[in-house]
């Protein structure tokens, strides 16, 4: 059985690594991305370049999108020369961008009307997870479509779950970002307290991280903060996007999330300090300034 | 060399288990506690009962206190018939209550004037950690005193660090409670979101807990919340005490901890709902009512 041809839209830091794994597994890869040079490596290894989403969509058995913001997702799927208009019936489309759950539902609805199979499948694990194919992939959509695409997901990730119908992958990613946001506040407040109280913050982290107050963020980002290493594993600007989506969705669901509201507020102040392109651990700079 | 005689003040849920380990290791144990019957087990195994702290203090080589609130610590150390007044020069006194860092400094100062060695050594790990002698013990005080008491700490805990001079153990415990508090908000907000969005919250937890948004609280208290198991591993009322101390101290240190402030506010509302004697994971009830 020949490998499905995969069209990949958006080969930024994450997308590039993910597409590479698919290419290495023998899938013919078609590419569309805003900045062509970001696809050079993939093209050197035989990927086909397309000048438009329409042309890519028409040529692919499976289309994976990994773009920036919900508005980009909207354009790629519903724009003039978008995927819904141009993909063949029977095509599988997978949006791996972190985006709005309601938009994922809309894509699924319109796709279904055209005989296209749609899944939402945002990821967590950052650039390192993408590079090492250890991403966590949170999928929403029909079970049969999920089963069909599982071998492709397995080329990119490790923890892969179907969470329910269309939008459920995005909803799960929102839960991930909620705990993420609160954990980060805890890490920064503990470190600023430790510093001002004259503790050795490394020793504090070593003590706290292995107990009931521990978190991945404390164990992994805590030490980076102490080295003033604010390089992005995950960008502040993207975190703000995700939290904004989560809060909009929470409003629609009529739930009040005061912790997440606080987190978004702190990160927006951080962004106003010029830290949008820093890693999320740069929240420490907000507390150091405050 | 004969084992030091240890006076134990406060044999509640935690203290009882801790004293038992010391007793089993062969230390003669002297006891004072508010409710005598809580010491029955220990007395059946040979512990000596005292009617006053003064008499216990006078008879002990090492005095460990594990009481409730800072005001109890103050009374036990500085009261009429307190430890500072009645312990012999050369005695070691260890306050393992989670209490105010400034109070720990004061105890150390007055102890030192009387030739008494003082350490602050609050713990984390809850009733299970106390029972299994796997507590994390955060110590503040002089290095020589710490070294001398280390064999005793090792009978009760596993992760044991000296964090600096008097008060440093308490400060480290405050850091622990800060991350603890924020993690708990994240867990509850993620679960309420998952429920309202129609996700299977167990699957959500399984996905999120092993990644960059994971925490001990999510992995361990998340599943208890889903079973509506609000039994106390750690009481809401004690958590409120700890957060109050942390915020008072933060004010003295001139740092602003908006996340912790929010956590205290939510837990106070939870307490007003009558949940003071529930476990900290009962914060979920606040979100379910809201």
């Amino acid at each position: 059985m020949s490998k499905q041809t995969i069209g990949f839209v958006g080969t930024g830091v994450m997308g590039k690594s993910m597409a590479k794994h698919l290419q290495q597994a023998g899938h013919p890869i078609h590419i569309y991305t805003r900045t062509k040079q970001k696809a050079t490596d993939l093209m050197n290894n035989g990927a086909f370049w397309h000048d438009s989403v329409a042309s890519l969509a028409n040529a692919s058995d499976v289309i994976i999108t990994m773009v920036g913001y919900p508005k980009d997702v909207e354009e790629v799927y519903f724009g003039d020369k978008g995927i819904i208009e141009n993909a063949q019936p029977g095509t599988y489309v997978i949006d791996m961008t972190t985006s709005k759950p309601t938009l994922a539902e809309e894509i699924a609805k319109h796709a279904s009307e055209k005989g296209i199979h749609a899944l939402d499948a945002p990821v967590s694990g950052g650039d390192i997870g993408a590079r090492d194919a250890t991403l966590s992939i949170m999928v929403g959509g029909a079970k049969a479509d999920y089963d069909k695409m599982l071998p492709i997901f397995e080329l990119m990730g490790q923890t892969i779950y179907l969470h329910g119908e269309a939008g459920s992958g995005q909803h799960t990613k929102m839960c991930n970002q909620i705990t993420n946001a609160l954990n980060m506040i805890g890490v920064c407040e503990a470190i600023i307290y430790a510093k001002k109280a004259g503790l050795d913050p490394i020793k504090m982290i070593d003590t706290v991280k292995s107990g009931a107050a521990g978190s991945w963020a404390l164990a992994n980002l805590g030490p980076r903060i102490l080295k003033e290493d604010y390089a992005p594993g995950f960008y502040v600007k993207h975190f703000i996007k995700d939290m904004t989506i989560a809060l909009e969705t929470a409003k629609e669901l009529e739930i009040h999330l005061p912790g997440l509201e606080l987190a978004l507020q702190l990160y927006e102040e951080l962004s106003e300090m010029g830290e949008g392109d820093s890693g999320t651990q740069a929240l420490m700079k907000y507390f150091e300034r405050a």
Side-chain angles (χ1 to χ4, degrees), chain A residues 123-145:
Chain A
V123 304
S124 79
D127 50 349
I128 295 169
R131 195 192 61 202
D132 299 345
T134 57
L135 291 169
S136 171
I137 306 178
M138 297 155 254
V139 190
K143 176 78 167 71
D145 297 342

Side-chain angles (χ1 to χ4, degrees), chain A residues 163-179:
Chain A
H163 288 276
E165 50 194 34
S168 300
Q170 297 296 352
H171 279 310
T172 305
K173 179 66 188 279
M174 293 301 119
C175 292
N176 188 84
Q177 298 304 62
I178 291 167
T179 65

Side-chain angles (χ1 to χ4, degrees), chain A residues 187-232:
Chain A
V187 169
C188 292
E189 293 197 358
I191 291 176
I192 195 78
Y193 181 108
K195 284 185 170 183
K196 298 282 178 164
L199 296 177
D200 174 352
I202 296 173
K203 224 177 235 186
M204 180 280 285
I205 290 173
D206 279 345
T207 298
V208 175
K209 75 178 183 189
S210 51
S215 66
W216 187 96
L218 182 67
N220 291 277
L221 299 180
R224 286 197 214 168
I225 288 170
L226 299 183
K227 287 178 209 144
E228 295 181 32
D229 170 5
Y230 298 121

Side-chain angles (χ1 to χ4, degrees), chain A residues 75-201:
Chain A
E75 196 192 321
V76 162
Y77 280 88
F78 296 122
D80 240 11
K81 302 194 164 177
I83 290 171
I84 299 296
E85 195 60 38
N86 291 283
Q88 314 268 10
T91 303
Y92 286 78
V93 303
I94 310 171
D95 184 27
M96 302 188 77
T97 318
T98 296
S99 171
K100 280 188 194 173
T102 48
L103 180 53
E105 288 167 25
E106 226 180 298
I107 290 171
K109 183 172 160 283
H110 286 86
S112 158
E113 287 165 8
K114 307 240 347 187
I116 298 167
H117 308 272
L119 295 169
D120 51 297
V123 304
S124 79
D127 50 349
I128 295 169
R131 195 192 61 202
D132 299 345
T134 57
L135 291 169
S136 171
I137 306 178
M138 297 155 254
V139 190
K143 176 78 167 71
D145 297 342
Y146 170 79
D147 289 341
K148 193 77 186 283
M149 291 298 106
L150 189 55
I152 288 175
F153 289 136
E154 286 173 339
L155 296 172
M156 299 181 283
Q158 234 163 22
T159 310
I160 304 159
Y161 278 99
L162 177 66
H163 288 276
E165 50 194 34
S168 300
Q170 297 296 352
H171 279 310
T172 305
K173 179 66 188 279
M174 293 301 119
C175 292
N176 188 84
Q177 298 304 62
I178 291 167
T179 65
N180 206 351
L182 276 300
N183 294 353
M184 269 319 304
I185 299 177
V187 169
C188 292
E189 293 197 358
I191 291 176
I192 195 78
Y193 181 108
K195 284 185 170 183
K196 298 282 178 164
L199 296 177
D200 174 352

